[in-house]
Amino acid sequence: MTSFSALERRRFVQWISQSALLAGVPAAWAAKPAADNRLWPQDSRVPGGVARLSLGPAATRPQFSTNDAPGLVLGDMIEWTALIGIPLSTAPGEYSLQVNLDGQMRDKRYTVRDKQYVEQRLKVSPKTVDLSPEDNARYERESTHLKNVMASLVQPLPKAQELHMQVPVPGRRSSSFGLRRVFNGQSRNPHSGMDIAAPTGTPVKAPLAGRVIDVGDYFFNGGTVWLDHGGGLLTMYCHLSQVNCKLGDELQSGDAFCKVGATGRVTGPHLHWSVMLNRAMVDPALFI
């Protein structure tokens, strides 16, 4: 008996459905170009990437946990897919998940490959590197608050076809995800987002539908907004000059909700955009 992959099964079902429909529709409709079949986010099994794992068919949505958080599973009873955010600190090697499939625990394995990110050296004000006791106390308070924000899992699950994000602001990518920053000769954590250079006041638009779960002015990030897109998928926007939304606002894809600025620790106006999946910062480029 022929064995089909998950993607082949889904395409076969789609072909059957389309064939039945096209038998009774005008020729002009049938001639429309095929839809974009690329999957978002892209599968990239490296530190800071996203692993797409086929879970196969099941009557109910499978469940698993990773990074001490429920994992995101999308699809339907024909084919379920687990989306796993891989933390930047993950060492290359073999990993496994325990997945509940219709009440039975199954082991799903995947391999994380190594990836070397670029290093960047920056000169900034010494007070933003060697914090004063007052600034350090503020940073600690803000860190505690932001950990609670990042634990958010309250929105309904997103739909798989909606995970193709739009770039939130036009401009040159001035710094990419994973870049290792060295401030005044002192190494810091890798860059956890994408920087897009744009003039102060440029409107920032929601890359997909979401709810505002945090608005703040933070020591390092300056003016900041967090959006919850559901299922542990969050996005963050930093260094804002203006915020035009409030906690609880529901945004649609393309809604303008804040403006580019140069607040917090920056060398010039730009948008810092981060994407978090199951409490792991991942590369926004995989969604665009």
Side-chain angles (χ1 to χ4, degrees):
M1 184 175 181
T2 303
S3 175
F4 293 97
S5 70
L7 183 58
E8 288 171 334
R9 287 200 304 273
R10 181 168 291 280
R11 286 178 174 171
F12 177 73
V13 172
Q14 291 173 340
W15 177 79
I16 291 293
S17 301
Q18 291 168 356
S19 297
L21 288 171
L22 292 179
V25 301
W29 292 13
K32 286 185 178 180
D36 187 346
N37 287 325
R38 287 178 292 179
L39 301 175
W40 308 95
Q42 301 170 52
D43 186 88
S44 179
R45 302 179 188 187
V46 299
V50 176
R52 299 181 62 95
L53 296 187
S54 171
L55 303 181
T60 58
R61 188 185 304 274
Q63 297 179 332
F64 73 95
S65 294
T66 182
N67 300 333
D68 297 321
L72 179 56
V73 177
L74 299 178
D76 52 41
M77 62 186 302
I78 297 172
E79 176 63 33
W80 298 101
T81 300
L83 300 181
I84 305 164
I86 305 172
L88 269 167
S89 59
T90 303
E94 297 290 327
Y95 292 85
S96 65
L97 289 174
Q98 287 293 309
V99 182
N100 186 331
L101 286 166
D102 286 341
Q104 296 186 2
M105 300 305 295
R106 303 288 178 84
D107 188 51
K108 295 291 181 177
R109 298 180 178 275
Y110 63 100
T111 301
V112 175
R113 308 183 312 276
D114 191 18
K115 181 172 182 176
Q116 297 297 317
Y117 289 100
V118 177
E119 181 179 277
Q120 181 185 45
R121 294 179 174 272
L122 297 172
K123 286 284 188 181
V124 298
S125 171
K127 68 179 182 180
T128 61
V129 178
D130 301 312
L131 302 186
S132 68
E134 294 79 12
D135 288 339
N136 189 66
R138 176 185 173 185
Y139 167 72
E140 293 294 340
R141 290 194 304 270
E142 293 174 351
S143 295
T144 300
H145 168 73
L146 290 172
K147 285 178 182 177
N148 292 328
V149 173
M150 291 185 284
S152 175
L153 290 168
V154 297
Q155 280 283 91
L157 292 177
K159 297 178 181 177
Q161 64 269 27
E162 296 174 350
L163 295 186
H164 184 190
M165 297 187 185
Q166 302 302 310
V167 179
V169 68
R172 175 181 58 86
R173 189 183 305 182
S174 57
S175 180
S176 295
F177 177 87
L179 180 146
R180 184 164 295 276
R181 292 283 182 62
V182 180
F183 291 105
N184 300 351
Q186 299 184 37
S187 181
R188 289 296 186 264
N189 291 331
H191 191 220
S192 60
M194 176 189 293
D195 285 352
I196 303 172
T200 294
T202 305
V204 178
K205 298 181 179 180
L208 71 164
R211 186 171 64 87
V212 178
I213 59 170
D214 189 61
V215 175
D217 182 9
Y218 299 112
F219 182 77
F220 286 112
N221 294 342
T224 300
V225 174
W226 282 82
L227 301 182
D228 178 4
H229 306 288
L233 178 63
L234 311 177
T235 53
M236 178 178 69
Y237 310 82
C238 301
H239 310 307
L240 306 173
S241 63
Q242 186 175 330
V243 173
N244 304 116
C245 61
K246 63 183 184 302
L247 285 177
D249 281 355
E250 299 283 349
L251 303 178
Q252 299 304 311
S253 178
D255 285 352
F257 64 99
C258 55
K259 293 183 178 180
V260 172
T263 57
R265 183 170 70 177
V266 293
T267 56
H270 71 277
L271 175 70
H272 172 100
W273 175 37
S274 287
V275 175
M276 173 172 278
L277 179 60
N278 54 254
R279 299 177 188 167
M281 291 295 191
V282 297
D283 190 352
L286 300 176
F287 291 79
I288 63 177

mmCIF file of all heavy atoms in Angstrom, residues 185-217:
data_model
loop_
_atom_site.group_PDB
_atom_site.id
_atom_site.type_symbol
_atom_site.label_atom_id
_atom_site.label_comp_id
_atom_site.label_asym_id
_atom_site.label_seq_id
_atom_site.Cartn_x
_atom_site.Cartn_y
_atom_site.Cartn_z
ATOM 1 N N GLY A 185 32.442 47.084 24.470
ATOM 2 C CA GLY A 185 33.354 45.985 24.755
ATOM 3 C C GLY A 185 32.785 44.900 25.639
ATOM 4 O O GLY A 185 33.458 43.894 25.893
ATOM 5 N N GLN A 186 31.555 45.057 26.125
ATOM 6 C CA GLN A 186 30.936 44.066 27.005
ATOM 7 C C GLN A 186 29.877 43.273 26.236
ATOM 8 O O GLN A 186 28.930 43.861 25.686
ATOM 9 C CB GLN A 186 30.301 44.742 28.220
ATOM 10 C CG GLN A 186 31.290 45.501 29.095
ATOM 11 C CD GLN A 186 30.623 46.070 30.328
ATOM 12 O OE1 GLN A 186 29.742 45.449 30.906
ATOM 13 N NE2 GLN A 186 31.058 47.258 30.745
ATOM 14 N N SER A 187 30.040 41.957 26.196
ATOM 15 C CA SER A 187 29.105 41.102 25.468
ATOM 16 C C SER A 187 27.755 41.052 26.176
ATOM 17 O O SER A 187 27.683 40.978 27.405
ATOM 18 C CB SER A 187 29.685 39.690 25.350
ATOM 19 O OG SER A 187 28.808 38.855 24.620
ATOM 20 N N ARG A 188 26.677 41.092 25.399
ATOM 21 C CA ARG A 188 25.327 41.004 25.928
ATOM 22 C C ARG A 188 24.570 39.885 25.216
ATOM 23 O O ARG A 188 25.085 39.244 24.306
ATOM 24 C CB ARG A 188 24.581 42.335 25.737
ATOM 25 C CG ARG A 188 25.114 43.449 26.649
ATOM 26 C CD ARG A 188 24.868 43.103 28.117
ATOM 27 N NE ARG A 188 25.220 44.195 29.021
ATOM 28 C CZ ARG A 188 26.370 44.306 29.640
ATOM 29 N NH1 ARG A 188 27.330 43.407 29.408
ATOM 30 N NH2 ARG A 188 26.605 45.304 30.473
ATOM 31 N N ASN A 189 23.341 39.652 25.632
ATOM 32 C CA ASN A 189 22.533 38.606 25.015
ATOM 33 C C ASN A 189 22.329 38.888 23.529
ATOM 34 O O ASN A 189 22.301 40.059 23.112
ATOM 35 C CB ASN A 189 21.172 38.505 25.700
ATOM 36 C CG ASN A 189 21.271 37.973 27.111
ATOM 37 O OD1 ASN A 189 22.176 37.200 27.433
ATOM 38 N ND2 ASN A 189 20.351 38.382 27.967
ATOM 39 N N PRO A 190 22.146 37.834 22.714
ATOM 40 C CA PRO A 190 21.895 38.049 21.281
ATOM 41 C C PRO A 190 20.639 38.884 21.061
ATOM 42 O O PRO A 190 19.723 38.893 21.876
ATOM 43 C CB PRO A 190 21.710 36.622 20.748
ATOM 44 C CG PRO A 190 22.385 35.741 21.749
ATOM 45 C CD PRO A 190 22.200 36.416 23.073
ATOM 46 N N HIS A 191 20.606 39.564 19.932
ATOM 47 C CA HIS A 191 19.466 40.397 19.572
ATOM 48 C C HIS A 191 18.228 39.522 19.394
ATOM 49 O O HIS A 191 18.236 38.581 18.603
ATOM 50 C CB HIS A 191 19.784 41.143 18.279
ATOM 51 C CG HIS A 191 18.815 42.221 17.948
ATOM 52 N ND1 HIS A 191 18.378 42.459 16.662
ATOM 53 C CD2 HIS A 191 18.188 43.138 18.729
ATOM 54 C CE1 HIS A 191 17.538 43.473 16.668
ATOM 55 N NE2 HIS A 191 17.405 43.900 17.908
ATOM 56 N N SER A 192 17.167 39.848 20.117
ATOM 57 C CA SER A 192 15.991 38.976 20.154
ATOM 58 C C SER A 192 14.873 39.442 19.234
ATOM 59 O O SER A 192 13.717 39.055 19.406
ATOM 60 C CB SER A 192 15.450 38.890 21.588
ATOM 61 O OG SER A 192 15.076 40.179 22.055
ATOM 62 N N GLY A 193 15.195 40.302 18.252
ATOM 63 C CA GLY A 193 14.174 40.765 17.328
ATOM 64 C C GLY A 193 14.778 41.248 16.034
ATOM 65 O O GLY A 193 15.942 41.007 15.737
ATOM 66 N N MET A 194 13.958 41.935 15.256
ATOM 67 C CA MET A 194 14.382 42.532 13.991
ATOM 68 C C MET A 194 14.262 44.047 14.132
ATOM 69 O O MET A 194 13.233 44.554 14.578
ATOM 70 C CB MET A 194 13.478 42.055 12.849
ATOM 71 C CG MET A 194 13.768 42.692 11.505
ATOM 72 S SD MET A 194 12.509 42.276 10.250
ATOM 73 C CE MET A 194 12.800 40.513 10.058
ATOM 74 N N ASP A 195 15.322 44.790 13.780
ATOM 75 C CA ASP A 195 15.290 46.248 13.798
ATOM 76 C C ASP A 195 15.023 46.762 12.390
ATOM 77 O O ASP A 195 15.699 46.349 11.429
ATOM 78 C CB ASP A 195 16.612 46.819 14.299
ATOM 79 C CG ASP A 195 16.781 46.672 15.802
ATOM 80 O OD1 ASP A 195 15.809 46.261 16.467
ATOM 81 O OD2 ASP A 195 17.879 46.963 16.305
ATOM 82 N N ILE A 196 14.054 47.678 12.278
ATOM 83 C CA ILE A 196 13.717 48.276 10.989
ATOM 84 C C ILE A 196 13.893 49.781 11.114
ATOM 85 O O ILE A 196 13.203 50.433 11.900
ATOM 86 C CB ILE A 196 12.270 47.933 10.582
ATOM 87 C CG1 ILE A 196 12.076 46.410 10.542
ATOM 88 C CG2 ILE A 196 11.934 48.547 9.233
ATOM 89 C CD1 ILE A 196 10.633 45.984 10.330
ATOM 90 N N ALA A 197 14.836 50.345 10.360
ATOM 91 C CA ALA A 197 15.106 51.777 10.413
ATOM 92 C C ALA A 197 13.994 52.535 9.712
ATOM 93 O O ALA A 197 13.621 52.228 8.581
ATOM 94 C CB ALA A 197 16.453 52.080 9.765
ATOM 95 N N ALA A 198 13.454 53.538 10.413
ATOM 96 C CA ALA A 198 12.394 54.374 9.853
ATOM 97 C C ALA A 198 12.372 55.684 10.625
ATOM 98 O O ALA A 198 12.775 55.733 11.790
ATOM 99 C CB ALA A 198 11.040 53.668 9.946
ATOM 100 N N PRO A 199 11.903 56.778 10.006
ATOM 101 C CA PRO A 199 11.875 58.069 10.696
ATOM 102 C C PRO A 199 10.931 58.066 11.897
ATOM 103 O O PRO A 199 9.911 57.348 11.905
ATOM 104 C CB PRO A 199 11.374 59.039 9.616
ATOM 105 C CG PRO A 199 11.630 58.356 8.318
ATOM 106 C CD PRO A 199 11.477 56.891 8.597
ATOM 107 N N THR A 200 11.273 58.851 12.897
ATOM 108 C CA THR A 200 10.391 59.024 14.047
ATOM 109 C C THR A 200 9.015 59.491 13.575
ATOM 110 O O THR A 200 8.911 60.380 12.727
ATOM 111 C CB THR A 200 10.977 60.061 15.018
ATOM 112 O OG1 THR A 200 12.193 59.548 15.573
ATOM 113 C CG2 THR A 200 10.009 60.379 16.144
ATOM 114 N N GLY A 201 7.976 58.868 14.116
ATOM 115 C CA GLY A 201 6.613 59.222 13.742
ATOM 116 C C GLY A 201 6.009 58.342 12.672
ATOM 117 O O GLY A 201 4.810 58.454 12.381
ATOM 118 N N THR A 202 6.805 57.439 12.071
ATOM 119 C CA THR A 202 6.258 56.521 11.065
ATOM 120 C C THR A 202 5.254 55.579 11.723
ATOM 121 O O THR A 202 5.568 54.954 12.733
ATOM 122 C CB THR A 202 7.381 55.699 10.410
ATOM 123 O OG1 THR A 202 8.365 56.573 9.864
ATOM 124 C CG2 THR A 202 6.823 54.804 9.312
ATOM 125 N N PRO A 203 4.042 55.440 11.171
ATOM 126 C CA PRO A 203 3.048 54.543 11.772
ATOM 127 C C PRO A 203 3.500 53.087 11.734
ATOM 128 O O PRO A 203 4.107 52.625 10.760
ATOM 129 C CB PRO A 203 1.805 54.749 10.895
ATOM 130 C CG PRO A 203 2.002 56.087 10.253
ATOM 131 C CD PRO A 203 3.483 56.209 10.047
ATOM 132 N N VAL A 204 3.211 52.373 12.818
ATOM 133 C CA VAL A 204 3.481 50.939 12.920
ATOM 134 C C VAL A 204 2.145 50.215 12.847
ATOM 135 O O VAL A 204 1.206 50.565 13.565
ATOM 136 C CB VAL A 204 4.196 50.599 14.244
ATOM 137 C CG1 VAL A 204 4.419 49.091 14.359
ATOM 138 C CG2 VAL A 204 5.521 51.350 14.344
ATOM 139 N N LYS A 205 2.053 49.193 11.967
ATOM 140 C CA LYS A 205 0.802 48.481 11.754
ATOM 141 C C LYS A 205 0.890 47.047 12.272
ATOM 142 O O LYS A 205 1.947 46.401 12.171
ATOM 143 C CB LYS A 205 0.445 48.478 10.265
ATOM 144 C CG LYS A 205 0.229 49.884 9.705
ATOM 145 C CD LYS A 205 -0.134 49.856 8.239
ATOM 146 C CE LYS A 205 -0.370 51.267 7.704
ATOM 147 N NZ LYS A 205 -0.738 51.259 6.267
ATOM 148 N N ALA A 206 -0.215 46.555 12.797
ATOM 149 C CA ALA A 206 -0.260 45.187 13.325
ATOM 150 C C ALA A 206 -0.014 44.190 12.194
ATOM 151 O O ALA A 206 -0.669 44.254 11.158
ATOM 152 C CB ALA A 206 -1.619 44.917 13.967
ATOM 153 N N PRO A 207 0.939 43.253 12.362
ATOM 154 C CA PRO A 207 1.244 42.289 11.303
ATOM 155 C C PRO A 207 0.162 41.228 11.127
ATOM 156 O O PRO A 207 0.073 40.600 10.083
ATOM 157 C CB PRO A 207 2.554 41.658 11.768
ATOM 158 C CG PRO A 207 2.536 41.814 13.257
ATOM 159 C CD PRO A 207 1.818 43.104 13.528
ATOM 160 N N LEU A 208 -0.656 41.024 12.143
ATOM 161 C CA LEU A 208 -1.832 40.166 12.083
ATOM 162 C C LEU A 208 -2.720 40.509 13.269
ATOM 163 O O LEU A 208 -2.317 41.260 14.152
ATOM 164 C CB LEU A 208 -1.472 38.677 12.054
ATOM 165 C CG LEU A 208 -0.920 38.004 13.294
ATOM 166 C CD1 LEU A 208 -1.009 36.491 13.134
ATOM 167 C CD2 LEU A 208 0.536 38.359 13.518
ATOM 168 N N ALA A 209 -3.926 39.985 13.282
ATOM 169 C CA ALA A 209 -4.886 40.337 14.321
ATOM 170 C C ALA A 209 -4.353 39.963 15.703
ATOM 171 O O ALA A 209 -3.680 38.943 15.868
ATOM 172 C CB ALA A 209 -6.216 39.634 14.060
ATOM 173 N N GLY A 210 -4.662 40.809 16.696
ATOM 174 C CA GLY A 210 -4.201 40.525 18.047
ATOM 175 C C GLY A 210 -4.819 41.474 19.055
ATOM 176 O O GLY A 210 -5.489 42.448 18.693
ATOM 177 N N ARG A 211 -4.573 41.188 20.326
ATOM 178 C CA ARG A 211 -5.093 42.013 21.419
ATOM 179 C C ARG A 211 -3.932 42.650 22.166
ATOM 180 O O ARG A 211 -2.905 42.007 22.413
ATOM 181 C CB ARG A 211 -5.916 41.143 22.379
ATOM 182 C CG ARG A 211 -6.621 41.942 23.473
ATOM 183 C CD ARG A 211 -7.583 41.039 24.247
ATOM 184 N NE ARG A 211 -6.865 39.988 24.954
ATOM 185 C CZ ARG A 211 -6.362 40.128 26.182
ATOM 186 N NH1 ARG A 211 -6.506 41.266 26.842
ATOM 187 N NH2 ARG A 211 -5.733 39.129 26.755
ATOM 188 N N VAL A 212 -4.062 43.914 22.523
ATOM 189 C CA VAL A 212 -3.017 44.629 23.269
ATOM 190 C C VAL A 212 -3.000 44.104 24.702
ATOM 191 O O VAL A 212 -3.994 44.183 25.419
ATOM 192 C CB VAL A 212 -3.285 46.148 23.269
ATOM 193 C CG1 VAL A 212 -2.211 46.876 24.082
ATOM 194 C CG2 VAL A 212 -3.336 46.691 21.843
ATOM 195 N N ILE A 213 -1.844 43.550 25.126
ATOM 196 C CA ILE A 213 -1.747 42.994 26.471
ATOM 197 C C ILE A 213 -0.761 43.747 27.355
ATOM 198 O O ILE A 213 -0.687 43.481 28.552
ATOM 199 C CB ILE A 213 -1.379 41.496 26.443
ATOM 200 C CG1 ILE A 213 -0.034 41.278 25.730
ATOM 201 C CG2 ILE A 213 -2.485 40.673 25.812
ATOM 202 C CD1 ILE A 213 0.504 39.859 25.878
ATOM 203 N N ASP A 214 -0.011 44.702 26.773
ATOM 204 C CA ASP A 214 0.880 45.517 27.602
ATOM 205 C C ASP A 214 1.262 46.784 26.855
ATOM 206 O O ASP A 214 1.539 46.756 25.650
ATOM 207 C CB ASP A 214 2.152 44.749 27.977
ATOM 208 C CG ASP A 214 2.984 45.502 29.011
ATOM 209 O OD1 ASP A 214 2.466 45.736 30.116
ATOM 210 O OD2 ASP A 214 4.132 45.862 28.713
ATOM 211 N N VAL A 215 1.251 47.881 27.596
ATOM 212 C CA VAL A 215 1.726 49.173 27.098
ATOM 213 C C VAL A 215 2.601 49.759 28.194
ATOM 214 O O VAL A 215 2.182 49.843 29.354
ATOM 215 C CB VAL A 215 0.550 50.128 26.803
ATOM 216 C CG1 VAL A 215 1.083 51.502 26.416
ATOM 217 C CG2 VAL A 215 -0.341 49.572 25.696
ATOM 218 N N GLY A 216 3.841 50.134 27.863
ATOM 219 C CA GLY A 216 4.719 50.644 28.907
ATOM 220 C C GLY A 216 5.874 51.460 28.359
ATOM 221 O O GLY A 216 6.102 51.522 27.153
ATOM 222 N N ASP A 217 6.601 52.079 29.286
ATOM 223 C CA ASP A 217 7.818 52.826 28.965
ATOM 224 C C ASP A 217 8.925 52.214 29.814
ATOM 225 O O ASP A 217 8.966 52.420 31.029
ATOM 226 C CB ASP A 217 7.635 54.307 29.279
ATOM 227 C CG ASP A 217 8.868 55.142 28.912
ATOM 228 O OD1 ASP A 217 9.773 54.594 28.261
ATOM 229 O OD2 ASP A 217 8.915 56.322 29.295
#
